[in-house]
Amino acid sequence: MFDSNHTSVNEKNHLTLGGCDSVELAKEYGTPLYVLDETVVRERCRFFVDSVKEYYGGNGLILYASKALSCMALYRIAKEEGMGVDVVSGGEMYTAYKAGFPMEKVYFHGNCKTPEELSMALDLGLGRIVVDSVTELRQLASIAKEKGKTANVLFRIKPGIDAHTHDFVKTGQIDCKFGLALETGEALEVIREAVETEHICYCGVHCHIGSQIFDIDPFCEAAHVMMRFIKEIKDTCGADTKELNLGGGFGIAYNEKDDPIPFGNYMEAVSRVVHEEAEALALPLPFILMEPGRSIVATAGSTLYTVGVVKDIPDVRTYVSVDGGMADNPRYILYQAEYHFTLANRAGDEKDAIVTVAGRCCESGDLLGENVRLQRPVPGDILAVSATGAYNYSMASHYNRLPNPAMVLVKDGTHRVIIKRESYEDIIRNDIF
Ligand code: LLP
């Protein structure tokens, strides 16, 4: 397992997660089962929070990007760790609210927020709304006016950086559904309008350059571009930019091939750029925000499945079908994402088989991995997939009317359910016959 010291193999040759025997967890709670290690989540939160203190004098806030995994238990942990959160929908906002999360530390993103969601954000007293278009700005101003409130806003900017290539491709980024373009002057124009708009309080700018990034340079480049833009805003609109939000996207290890950079290194490098630019441009240091999602929860999560059928097709491949698949983890079918697999009930055994792990949905592409090295599986084995804490439960579907699995929080040998397994009754609860 990767990036975590909290998995091991016990005397029964079973995989342990957060000090719990995973085979026992599968027996007690059934499969498929999401398992989340609280110690790892908190450890990850602290890396981020501490590095803002260490490298930026604490003049910032880490926002957990809750799209990675949104549930009440996670908002509670984020609150206890002194973080803010990023939400992208009324559903995430509502979950945070019901979990008692301090709403002034909630940042609301999205390229197509509905008027109802904007209204809800103002009613709940959300900290910031990250405006994505001029349409949204005008809509928000009119809703705020009706309510006699002022909306505190950031603007999402496309800094023109492609983090997925080593050469920064600075053109072509206009072709993105998120944010306001720098190159065309669109961003500046919209901010100028905001500064002059009643019921809108301009607080700062935001960018997010991508996800699962293993390079520091694109973050530094983004910080450069954004600081220069802050200067332009000051010079042309006379507005002070108090907050600079540099988004998330820090890479994690899904398997042996991935080599993540400690977050402190990102923060140290970005902090240096922001300090240098602030001095060169005679700007005050902005309050910094970062929005890690995957890097908070991914490696804390594992999924347990029961092997149902092993189908050996001579000279072709061996399909190992499990009782979950694309409905609980669509990342292979969507992105050919690679994971690390092990048989939890024979965790210490040699992996002497190469197999294709298939889900149970009526869809040939419903796979969890191909050419996967695994202990030779038989029906009834428990298959563990690691680093499934991010973008698994949050992207789960009900395809084939499969109920969503339960999620169990483990910590130092204890375990408790934080998301109940759906029942068939849950599946039909909104059907009208
Ligand atoms: N902030 C903003 C504005 C974002 O759009 C995102 C992710 C994040 C922060 C958090 O990024 P992270 O630290 O988690 O990389 N479903 C895809 C990932 C989509 C990410 C969308 N935005 C996946 O499973 O890989």
Side-chain angles (χ1 to χ4, degrees):
M1 301 274 152
F2 301 93
D3 226 13
S4 150
N5 304 318
H6 302 275
T7 62
S8 63
V9 179
N10 68 13
E11 64 296 343
K12 292 184 185 157
N13 202 18
H14 293 174
L15 174 73
T16 69
L17 300 168
C20 299
D21 183 319
S22 59
V23 179
E24 293 301 321
L25 291 175
K27 211 180 281 172
E28 181 164 348
Y29 298 107
T31 56
L33 182 69
Y34 296 114
V35 182
L36 190 73
D37 187 334
E38 182 172 351
T39 309
V40 178
V41 175
R42 289 192 187 270
E43 203 174 85
R44 306 290 306 167
C45 291
R46 286 170 201 170
F47 283 152
F48 283 92
V49 172
D50 290 349
S51 65
V52 174
K53 289 187 192 136
E54 187 171 349
Y55 298 110
Y56 203 69
N59 185 26
L61 181 66
I62 297 295
L63 306 175
Y64 164 56
S66 63
K67 71 208 79 184
L69 171 58
S70 174
C71 63
M72 288 168 71
L74 249 293
Y75 292 110
R76 180 178 56 79
I77 293 174
K79 175 182 167 184
E80 288 170 2
E81 295 300 332
M83 297 161 80
V85 295
D86 133 9
V87 299
V88 287
S89 69
E92 289 182 357
M93 208 188 309
Y94 185 73
T95 311
Y97 173 68
K98 293 301 267 189
F101 197 85
M103 298 315 275
E104 69 280 4
K105 285 166 96 174
V106 179
Y107 283 59
F108 186 22
H109 285 283
N111 63 307
C112 192
K113 304 174 187 82
T114 66
E116 292 76 21
E117 286 174 326
L118 292 173
S119 175
M120 181 176 170
L122 290 174
D123 290 343
L124 294 181
L126 251 67
R128 301 282 182 270
I129 296 173
V130 184
V131 174
D132 200 271
S133 65
V134 71
T135 310
E136 181 186 336
L137 173 65
R138 291 174 187 163
Q139 204 160 49
L140 180 62
S142 113
I143 298 170
K145 184 175 178 188
E146 245 168 59
K147 292 180 185 292
K149 294 192 178 190
T150 295
N152 294 316
V153 303
L154 304 188
F155 286 89
R156 178 159 181 167
I157 309 299
K158 310 183 210 196
I161 292 161
D162 182 350
H164 292 284
T165 61
H166 285 279
D167 290 330
F168 306 142
V169 182
K170 294 186 182 182
T171 56
Q173 289 301 292
I174 289 173
D175 185 6
C176 172
K177 73 169 180 170
F178 295 107
L180 303 161
L182 276 188
E183 296 98 311
T184 58
E186 179 192 26
L188 198 60
E189 216 170 284
V190 175
I191 292 174
R192 185 180 292 119
E193 178 170 330
V195 169
E196 289 161 5
T197 303
E198 275 182 83
H199 301 279
I200 294 289
C201 174
Y202 168 70
C203 299
V205 282
H206 166 272
C207 68
H208 171 75
I209 55 175
S211 207
Q212 187 62 351
I213 301 168
F214 290 106
D215 266 356
I216 288 184
D217 295 353
F219 286 97
C220 292
E221 184 64 10
H224 265 293
V225 171
M226 297 296 276
M227 286 299 285
R228 291 192 175 249
F229 184 50
I230 288 173
K231 169 75 172 156
E232 204 180 339
I233 295 168
K234 173 86 185 152
D235 291 347
T236 59
C237 312
D240 290 322
T241 299
K242 295 192 190 74
E243 296 185 11
L244 171 58
N245 184 334
L246 292 169
F250 316 102
I252 65 110
Y254 280 102
N255 57 36
E256 299 89 342
K257 288 182 243 162
D258 295 330
D259 189 16
I261 297 166
F263 177 72
N265 298 18
Y266 288 104
M267 196 61 217
E268 186 182 15
V270 162
S271 171
R272 197 176 324 115
V273 172
V274 173
H275 275 90
E276 282 167 10
E277 291 287 357
E279 202 184 319
L281 303 168
L283 290 171
L285 279 177
F287 186 77
I288 289 259
L289 298 126
M290 296 260 191
E291 299 171 331
R294 187 193 316 268
S295 46
I296 297 286
V297 286
T299 56
S302 307
T303 309
L304 301 176
Y305 301 97
T306 301
V307 173
V309 173
V310 179
K311 203 174 274 179
D312 203 4
I313 309 177
D315 304 322
V316 180
R317 59 167 114 194
T318 301
Y319 281 100
V320 179
S321 293
V322 297
D323 56 356
M326 62 181 280
D328 60 80
N329 181 358
R331 296 193 71 259
Y332 188 80
I333 198 166
L334 282 175
Y335 321 117
Q336 291 73 54
E338 290 182 19
Y339 283 96
H340 177 263
F341 298 80
T342 199
L343 286 187
N345 52 319
R346 287 188 270 126
D349 290 4
E350 200 192 327
K351 294 184 172 176
D352 52 2
I354 303 283
V355 302
T356 288
V357 180
R360 55 163 301 173
C361 287
C362 287
E363 182 105 12
S364 300
D366 175 21
L367 304 176
L368 290 170
E370 290 173 274
N371 300 317
V372 165
R373 187 168 281 283
L374 198 65
Q375 300 88 339
R376 197 158 293 279
V378 292
D381 278 337
I382 302 297
L383 177 75
V385 185
S386 58
T388 58
Y391 304 113
N392 273 229
Y393 172 76
S394 66
M395 294 175 74
S397 75
H398 289 114
Y399 186 42
N400 294 166
R401 290 231 135 170
L402 293 175
N404 282 169
M407 187 176 293
V408 168
L409 192 69
V410 291
K411 187 186 183 190
D412 302 332
T414 65
H415 45 92
R416 70 181 181 92
V417 174
I418 55 169
I419 302 174
K420 280 197 292 190
R421 182 177 301 283
E422 284 183 335
S423 63
Y424 292 135
E425 274 312 307
D426 292 328
I427 289 287
I428 61 163
R429 74 174 176 255
N430 294 322
D431 288 14
I432 297 169
F433 188 50

